[in-house]
Amino acid sequence: MPAIAHAVQRCIAHQYIHLHHAVCRKDPAAPGALSPDQTNFLDNVHVYPCATQVVEGALMFTLYTMTAYCPITRRWWLVKKRYSEYHAFRQQLDNLWVHCELKMKNDSLTAMLRTIMKLPFPRKVYNGDSVFIVKERIRLLEHFLRKLMALHAECFYYAYQKLKLDEPLSPTFHAFHTLLQTFLGVPEDMLDLRAMQRLLNLAMDKPAAVDASETCSICLSSFDETEGEAVVQLSCSHLYHRDCVVSWLIAKKSCPLCREDVDSGSVL
């Protein structure tokens, strides 16, 4: 009986929180940890959303591919997920959000989760992926991913301030941060918060320079001929126009020059 009573109590609390935020006219704003330049970068960067029908044995499903970015380190990587993976991840976030609202309501982590849980999310359907459903999911999942990218960066600032004040990071934050990084598929050298700080310092101390006379090996145009077009460096160090190489990597997942397996890089 105690276990059942606890489950019922938690369910009621969960429904109360959702009802409360549904009727509130305005929730407290989430802390704005990102700078205006970083926010503008995330709002305007092209994530190249696309949907591909995949067949594995007797299963057929839609794979949604988008490009994730870190506005702090200017790194980027590909995120390839099924809708079911997005849905399961959001359910995990929902459970964590309920815990935070009940146990740490005034913490800025709760405000971050509140922001992401208020976003519209594509509904689950059981009669196959029609063209309309896929288009709707691309639109909403792109917006959802953009917010996750901002949330990932805000986690860095949240943890940085805590560590700066010698305050311990809560187990809830560690659970959330691990969940977010795992879902986004963050590159290994960005998984540790201190490693991210080192990457940030390196980018600030030695900003990468682009030789304008170099040529993009995909479109064969020199970088000075396409001034204003974003240039990226792959993990293998080769340079390309962002629009050219992302389209290539979605299909090939290897550097056009050295054929090394890559799915991440830096925006220069």
Side-chain angles (χ1 to χ4, degrees):
M1 286 297 294
I4 297 176
H6 177 73
V8 172
Q9 183 180 17
R10 190 176 184 284
C11 181
I12 293 174
H14 186 280
Q15 293 177 353
Y16 168 76
I17 290 171
H18 276 285
L19 178 63
H20 171 72
H21 289 291
V23 299
C24 281
R25 293 187 177 182
K26 185 176 182 181
D27 285 335
L34 298 182
S35 69
D37 286 343
Q38 291 171 336
T39 301
N40 184 64
F41 173 76
L42 286 180
D43 288 342
N44 293 289
V45 73
H46 192 0
V47 300
Y48 304 92
C50 70
T52 308
Q53 291 292 326
V54 178
V55 178
E56 289 185 357
L59 296 177
M60 185 174 70
F61 56 87
T62 304
L63 189 66
Y64 297 90
T65 302
M66 303 187 201
T67 310
Y69 296 84
C70 174
I72 299 173
T73 62
R74 308 282 285 189
R75 294 287 300 279
W76 63 268
W77 62 95
L78 296 180
V79 177
K80 297 183 177 183
K81 300 286 184 184
R82 298 168 61 173
Y83 167 79
S84 59
E85 293 176 288
Y86 275 96
H87 187 270
F89 171 71
R90 191 174 184 276
Q91 287 294 108
Q92 291 175 298
L93 286 185
D94 195 29
N95 293 334
L96 197 60
W97 174 50
V98 170
H99 169 79
C100 289
E101 290 285 5
L102 294 175
K103 301 295 184 181
M104 41 196 294
K105 189 176 182 65
N106 296 322
D107 193 276
S108 54
L109 175 60
T110 307
M112 293 183 209
L113 284 167
R114 189 180 299 136
T115 299
I116 200 74
M117 293 309 299
K118 288 170 60 180
L119 295 176
F121 193 81
R123 59 189 177 87
K124 194 171 185 178
V125 296
Y126 299 93
N127 56 349
D129 295 347
S130 66
V131 174
F132 173 79
I133 290 173
V134 170
K135 286 184 177 180
E136 182 69 3
R137 284 179 175 177
I138 287 177
R139 183 179 67 83
L140 294 178
L141 292 179
E142 177 184 348
H143 188 50
F144 185 70
L145 182 66
R146 287 183 184 275
K147 293 300 181 183
L148 291 182
M149 292 188 291
L151 200 58
H152 177 256
E154 287 176 359
C155 281
F156 169 77
Y157 288 116
Y158 173 89
Y160 182 74
Q161 291 301 322
K162 290 282 187 180
L163 296 172
K164 189 176 180 181
L165 298 173
D166 289 327
E167 295 181 5
L169 294 170
S170 68
T172 302
F173 172 80
H174 282 296
F176 167 66
H177 193 232
T178 301
L179 178 66
L180 180 60
Q181 288 187 316
T182 301
F183 178 79
L184 289 176
V186 176
E188 289 187 8
D189 59 348
M190 289 175 54
L191 292 177
D192 182 71
L193 291 167
R194 297 188 187 277
M196 272 194 67
Q197 179 64 38
R198 289 193 294 270
L199 286 171
L200 175 60
N201 293 338
L202 182 63
M204 293 176 65
D205 294 339
K206 297 180 180 180
V210 179
D211 185 351
S213 63
E214 288 193 46
T215 300
C216 173
S217 300
I218 298 177
C219 68
L220 303 181
S221 298
S222 60
F223 297 130
D224 62 346
E225 293 176 339
T226 54
E227 185 178 355
E229 191 170 340
V231 177
V232 299
Q233 184 177 45
L234 302 186
S235 54
C236 61
S237 298
H238 289 123
L239 304 179
Y240 302 94
H241 290 123
R242 183 175 61 192
D243 290 348
C244 297
V245 78
V246 169
S247 301
W248 172 280
L249 290 177
I250 289 175
K252 304 290 186 179
K253 201 180 177 181
S254 63
C255 173
L257 282 177
C258 65
R259 301 300 178 183
E260 179 180 329
D261 288 343
V262 291
D263 57 5
S264 65
S266 302
V267 180
L268 303 183

